C-alpha cells in the first residue's frame, strides 16, 4: 500500500502529468494509496508525479486532526489573488525548507473521487499546499523558485549529504 516517493534530483519529477480521461477504479485505488503514503510520511499533500504516476491527481489534508482529506483529479486554478510567504517543505526534497511566495487565495476546480466536478476556494496553508501540488503535476519543484544563490547553496548541501 505504501508507495515509493521519488527524491530530488530524479528526472522523473520533471515529467508533465497528463489529464485523466475517466475517474475509474484504478484512479480511486491510486488515490487511496496516495493518502496512505501521505499520512505515513506525515505530509500535508502528495501529487501522483511524486509516486511516479504521471497523471493529474493530487491529495491534500492540512487539518490538525488529519481528518479532512481532499482528493482532486485534473485540478485547475481558475482565480488567484493576494500574496503569502510560507516555509515550504517537500517529501521529494527531504529536510530542506524554504520560504516561498505564492497566492494567498485561490479558486480551484477539479473532479472528486466520484468523477463529479467540484469548485472551491482555498486560503492560507491549504492554498499554498494546493499550488505546491499542482506545480508537481507540471514537473516543477518549490526549489525552482529560489534565487540562484540559494539554489547553489541547496545543491552544495545535497551534494555533501549524498557523499556521506
Ligand atoms: O508535496 C509534497 O511534497 C508534500 C509537502 C507539501 C507542502 C508542505 C509545506 C508547504 C507546502 C506544501 C509536505 O507535506 S512536506 C511536510 C511538511 O513540510 C509539513 C508537514 C506538516 C505541516 C506543515 C508542513
Ligand atoms: Zn512537494
Amino acid at each position: 500500500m505504501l508507495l515509493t516517493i521519488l527524491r530530488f534530483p530524479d528526472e522523473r519529477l520533471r515529467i508533465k502529468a497528463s489529464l485523466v480521461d475517466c475517474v475509474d477504479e484504478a484512479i480511486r485505488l491510486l488515490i487511496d494509496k496516495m493518502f496512505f503514503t501521505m499520512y505515513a510520511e506525515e505530509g500535508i499533500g502528495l501529487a501522483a508525479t511524486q509516486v511516479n504516476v504521471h497523471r493529474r491527481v493530487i491529495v491534500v489534508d492540512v487539518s490538525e486532526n488529519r481528518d479532512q482529506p481532499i482528493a482532486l483529479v485534473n485540478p485547475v486554478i481558475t482565480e488567484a489573488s493576494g500574496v503569502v510567504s510560507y516555509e515550504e517543505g517537500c517529501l521529494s526534497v527531504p529536510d530542506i525548507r524554504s520560504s516561498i511566495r505564492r497566492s494567498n487565495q485561490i479558486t480551484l476546480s477539479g473532479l472528486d473521487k466520484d468523477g463529479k466536478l467540484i469548485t472551491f476556494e482555498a486560503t492560507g496553508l491549504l492554498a499554498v499546499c494546493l499550488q505546491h501540488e499542482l506545480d508537481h503535476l507540471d514537473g516543477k519543484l518549490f526549489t525552482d523558485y529560489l534565487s540562484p544563490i540559494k539554489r547553489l547553496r541547496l545543491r552544495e548541501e545535497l551534494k555533501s549529504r549524498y557523499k556521506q
Side-chain angles (χ1 to χ4, degrees):
M1 209 51 174
L2 192 70
L3 302 169
T4 302
I5 296 178
L6 299 178
R7 306 283 187 213
F8 177 86
D10 195 312
E11 277 303 308
R12 291 171 292 182
L13 288 167
R14 300 304 185 173
I15 298 173
K16 189 175 161 72
S18 57
L19 284 170
V20 171
D21 43 22
C22 175
V23 184
D24 56 15
E25 271 312 306
I27 294 292
R28 277 188 277 276
L29 188 61
L30 170 66
I31 288 171
D32 288 346
K33 288 180 181 174
M34 285 173 63
F35 272 126
F36 186 83
T37 305
M38 179 191 79
Y39 288 127
E41 300 291 340
E42 296 181 3
I44 55 172
L46 191 67
T49 305
Q50 293 176 277
V51 293
N52 200 26
V53 176
H54 302 284
R55 313 295 302 279
R56 301 191 81 82
V57 179
I58 62 169
V59 297
V60 303
D61 187 347
V62 301
S63 68
E64 242 171 66
N65 295 330
R66 317 290 275 148
D67 58 358
Q68 288 169 39
I70 300 171
L72 279 174
V73 175
N74 299 341
V76 179
I77 294 171
T78 54
E79 281 173 57
S81 60
V83 177
V84 67
S85 269
Y86 193 85
E87 185 90 354
E88 297 192 17
C90 181
L91 295 175
S92 295
V93 193
D95 305 322
I96 300 290
R97 301 190 75 85
S98 199
S99 189
I100 307 291
R101 279 155 62 95
R102 296 191 189 266
S103 301
N104 185 39
Q105 182 160 1
I106 59 171
T107 305
L108 208 93
S109 289
L111 303 175
D112 69 9
K113 243 186 133 176
D114 302 313
K116 205 176 94 200
L117 180 67
I118 52 169
T119 299
F120 62 96
E121 273 187 18
T123 57
L125 179 58
L126 179 58
V128 166
C129 187
L130 287 164
Q131 289 168 82
H132 177 114
E133 302 313 330
L134 261 78
D135 271 355
H136 274 304
L137 300 182
D138 290 325
K140 196 162 183 174
L141 296 170
F142 80 109
T143 51
D144 298 346
Y145 293 101
L146 298 177
S147 65
I149 183 78
K150 279 192 179 167
R151 228 177 307 151
L152 192 69
R153 260 190 242 139
L154 170 65
R155 209 174 301 147
E156 293 305 314
E157 155 75 31
L158 291 174
K159 233 192 265 168
S160 70
R161 203 185 293 171
Y162 293 142
K163 259 189 219 150
Q164 287 156 17

